[in-house]
Amino acid sequence: MADKINGIDIRILKLLSKNARLTYKELAEILGTTRQRISRRMDRLERNGVIQKYTVIPNYDALGYVHVILGVTVKPGVDLDDVINAIKDDENVKIIQRALGSHNLVIHIVGPKDMKELERIITDVSKKVPGIDKLDITFVTETVKFEVL
Amino acid sequence: MADKINGIDIRILKLLSKNARLTYKELAEILGTTRQRISRRMDRLERNGVIQKYTVIPNYDALGYVHVILGVTVKPGVDLDDVINAIKDDENVKIIQRALGSHNLVIHIVGPKDMKELERIITDVSKKVPGIDKLDITFVTETVKFEVL
């Protein structure tokens, strides 16, 4: 990243993390600056990849979906890039994170409430991951707190 | 929830999940409807809690932070509500999810890159969780894919 992140960037990010729909005008008023400056800083944060995405946190249960987290530990020597390539276009796989520690890979699946169908999806995804040493399956039942920054 | 989620709601949600900053006008143009209808449906989705939040997905690494996921399994008989109350106001605890399966509770911590300080934060949070049976600690190193719907 060529440009340094400064105090105004952090304040913009904190406000957007609470409400990503704040307009340039609203942000400018809260932070006592101009829309132009807000727009310029946000463009930069997006270009630099500091802001990866503006998104919605939905209640999956209300939408008829189940949210499953797979914590994958692969055997030593397995190339994580190969694993990621094998699963990244799967439409049921929503989040993929490389990791260190208990798990090497964290995979989020959003699927239907039908348990038979969900089992098929989880089995399908696991089959695509070669060299699994350990697989932790966690079904999220409720998001009690969700903050970003 | 009193109101049914319909096709237009799902289409609005899918668009917002890709870019939560789309204006009513932009959404209306894409979906071939009016701003008024978009605004009315979104108000409803927010009120019903189907939309929990509009937020930003940041690159924590670029901001100088480390993103840690704690997968907690508690001993039988432990009241999860007590655990959640004990940790929910901790400023380092960003996400708390109740769960079934390998873990009963998924806790996301965002902390500094200083490992000594991070250890202190993780220890502090774990101490607040009574009756831990098993604790999986996973450090997210990169978010490769992030979709919501």
Side-chain angles (χ1 to χ4, degrees):
Chain A
M1 228 172 323
D3 307 297
K4 285 267 285 187
I5 295 155
N6 64 23
I8 187 94
D9 293 332
I10 299 293
R11 293 172 73 196
I12 293 170
L13 279 166
K14 290 211 178 200
L15 288 165
L16 290 172
S17 74
K18 288 190 172 56
N19 180 8
R21 289 184 63 75
L22 286 171
T23 62
Y24 294 143
K25 186 159 173 275
E26 287 166 329
L27 287 163
E29 276 167 13
I30 297 168
L31 297 174
T33 183
T34 62
R35 293 161 63 150
Q36 289 71 22
R37 183 155 181 238
I38 296 289
S39 151
R40 210 165 48 228
R41 298 307 309 186
M42 280 175 62
D43 277 353
R44 198 173 295 201
L45 290 168
E46 292 165 24
R47 269 204 320 276
N48 288 343
V50 176
I51 292 177
Q52 298 199 340
K53 194 169 211 162
Y54 303 103
T55 195
V56 149
I57 306 304
N59 179 334
Y60 289 117
D61 187 53
L63 291 168
Y65 295 122
V66 175
H67 177 195
V68 186
I69 306 172
L70 306 184
V72 180
T73 315
V74 297
K75 293 194 183 114
V78 170
D79 189 333
L80 273 188
D81 290 323
D82 292 345
V83 175
I84 290 165
N85 279 326
I87 57 168
K88 74 174 195 301
D89 295 326
D90 190 313
E91 60 163 350
N92 293 297
V93 172
K94 299 301 181 187
I95 301 177
I96 304 175
Q97 289 168 319
R98 301 176 77 107
L100 282 174
S102 297
H103 303 116
N104 309 122
L105 208 58
V106 179
I107 301 168
H108 290 235
I109 288 176
V110 174
K113 284 189 182 173
D114 180 281
M115 277 290 155
K116 213 70 194 142
E117 176 64 6
L118 193 62
E119 186 193 356
R120 193 195 57 72
I121 292 170
I122 294 171
T123 309
D124 260 22
V125 173
S126 333
K127 269 191 199 155
K128 289 184 191 166
V129 181
I132 292 186
D133 193 34
K134 192 166 146 281
L135 178 64
D136 281 316
I137 306 185
T138 302
F139 298 81
V140 175
T141 53
E142 191 192 347
T143 296
V144 180
K145 179 177 182 175
F146 198 106
E147 285 177 8
V148 167
L149 282 172
Chain B
M1 228 172 321
D3 307 297
K4 284 268 285 186
I5 294 155
N6 65 21
I8 186 93
D9 293 331
I10 298 294
R11 293 173 72 196
I12 293 171
L13 278 166
K14 290 211 177 200
L15 288 165
L16 290 172
S17 75
K18 288 189 173 55
N19 179 9
R21 288 185 64 76
L22 287 171
T23 62
Y24 293 143
K25 186 161 173 273
E26 287 166 329
L27 287 162
E29 275 167 13
I30 298 168
L31 297 175
T33 182
T34 62
R35 292 161 64 151
Q36 289 71 25
R37 183 155 180 239
I38 296 288
S39 150
R40 209 164 49 228
R41 299 307 308 185
M42 279 175 62
D43 277 352
R44 197 173 297 201
L45 290 168
E46 292 164 26
R47 268 203 320 275
N48 287 344
V50 175
I51 292 178
Q52 297 199 340
K53 194 169 211 162
Y54 303 103
T55 195
V56 149
I57 306 304
N59 180 334
Y60 288 115
D61 188 52
L63 292 169
Y65 295 122
V66 174
H67 177 194
V68 186
I69 305 172
L70 307 184
V72 180
T73 316
V74 296
K75 293 194 181 113
V78 170
D79 189 332
L80 273 189
D81 289 323
D82 292 343
V83 175
I84 290 165
N85 279 326
I87 57 167
K88 76 173 193 303
D89 295 325
D90 190 314
E91 61 164 348
N92 294 297
V93 172
K94 299 301 181 186
I95 300 176
I96 304 175
Q97 290 169 318
R98 301 176 77 108
L100 282 174
S102 296
H103 303 117
N104 309 122
L105 207 58
V106 179
I107 301 168
H108 289 237
I109 287 176
V110 175
K113 284 190 181 172
D114 179 283
M115 276 291 155
K116 212 74 194 139
E117 177 65 6
L118 193 62
E119 187 193 354
R120 193 195 57 73
I121 292 169
I122 294 171
T123 308
D124 260 22
V125 173
S126 331
K127 270 190 199 155
K128 288 184 191 165
V129 182
I132 292 186
D133 194 32
K134 192 164 145 282
L135 177 64
D136 282 316
I137 306 186
T138 301
F139 297 82
V140 176
T141 53
E142 192 192 347
T143 297
V144 180
K145 179 177 182 176
F146 198 106
E147 285 176 7
V148 168
L149 280 172

